[in-house]
Amino acid sequence: MRVYVDATPLYDLGQIGDLGLLGVVEGDLSIPQAVVDQITVEPAATNLERFLTEHAVDTDPAPAEYLDDAARLLDAGERTSDVHLVAGLLASRDRGEAFALVSDDRRLRAVADGLGATVTGTFGVVVCASLGDKYFPASQAKRVLRRTDHHGIQMTGRLRERAIGEVD
């Protein structure tokens, strides 16, 4: 499975130093360079740079032949990082491979879902880590969720309780 990662989880997990949680995601990680270039705030930028050197991550741009179709799908006037992500999703779909998107952006998630991608976000990654890793207990997952919330993730009380409930 090819797993495309958007800037939102990279920023969220990068701010708290937990990008390594992306390692629990089943599949080959793909973070187009256009997405990497969006992460300029510290400490997320440094943590992302470290993550990219320590893990096998594809940072190649999306195939050029899909960029125009992706821009039309998103009604985008320029080739944003979202366009590169959707182009990658289109390419994976056309190759017949399983593909997924990790993003907290509602619009991007809806487009990915419409293309047949498995979709999750920052909290899904944290929950997956707590379920699949015997060394990452639910109490640690709850701390990560609270720290990401503290660092600016826009989360309602209801969503926070649901995320923490999923960890339990």
Side-chain angles (χ1 to χ4, degrees):
M1 175 180 284
R2 169 100 18 219
V3 180
Y4 296 88
V5 184
D6 184 27
T8 50
L10 296 175
Y11 173 81
D12 295 340
L13 294 172
Q15 282 297 96
I16 62 169
D18 279 324
L19 281 168
L21 292 177
L22 289 171
V24 303
V25 174
E26 294 285 328
D28 300 320
L29 293 178
S30 183
I31 307 172
Q33 189 62 45
V35 173
V36 172
D37 292 343
Q38 279 194 296
I39 308 299
T40 58
V41 175
E42 292 297 343
T46 298
N47 287 332
L48 177 57
E49 184 179 322
R50 183 178 310 117
F51 178 78
L52 293 174
T53 60
E54 294 174 355
H55 295 83
V57 178
D58 177 10
T59 58
D60 293 337
E65 63 267 24
Y66 291 96
L67 291 172
D68 289 339
D69 289 341
R72 275 191 293 280
L73 261 175
L74 292 169
D75 195 28
E78 48 189 76
R79 292 185 173 176
T80 64
S81 62
D82 288 355
V83 169
H84 283 268
L85 286 165
V86 170
L89 296 172
L90 289 168
S92 288
R93 182 193 65 182
D94 287 357
R95 287 191 296 261
E97 63 188 15
F99 58 102
L101 174 72
V102 181
S103 177
D104 296 323
D105 181 290
R106 284 185 188 186
R107 182 170 180 238
L108 192 54
R109 289 169 62 102
V111 169
D113 185 55
L115 293 173
T118 300
V119 179
T120 194
T122 303
F123 299 117
V125 170
V126 174
V127 169
C128 182
S130 74
L131 295 176
D133 188 344
K134 62 185 175 187
Y135 301 109
F136 191 75
S139 60
Q140 177 65 19
K142 289 177 185 179
R143 279 192 292 274
V144 169
L145 292 173
R146 288 186 181 105
R147 285 184 12 231
T148 57
D149 188 34
H150 177 72
H151 281 278
I153 292 180
Q154 300 299 315
M155 184 172 31
T156 64
R158 183 174 161 203
L159 179 58
R160 182 185 311 106
E161 292 307 313
R162 180 173 172 220
I164 290 173
E166 292 287 329
V167 170
D168 285 333

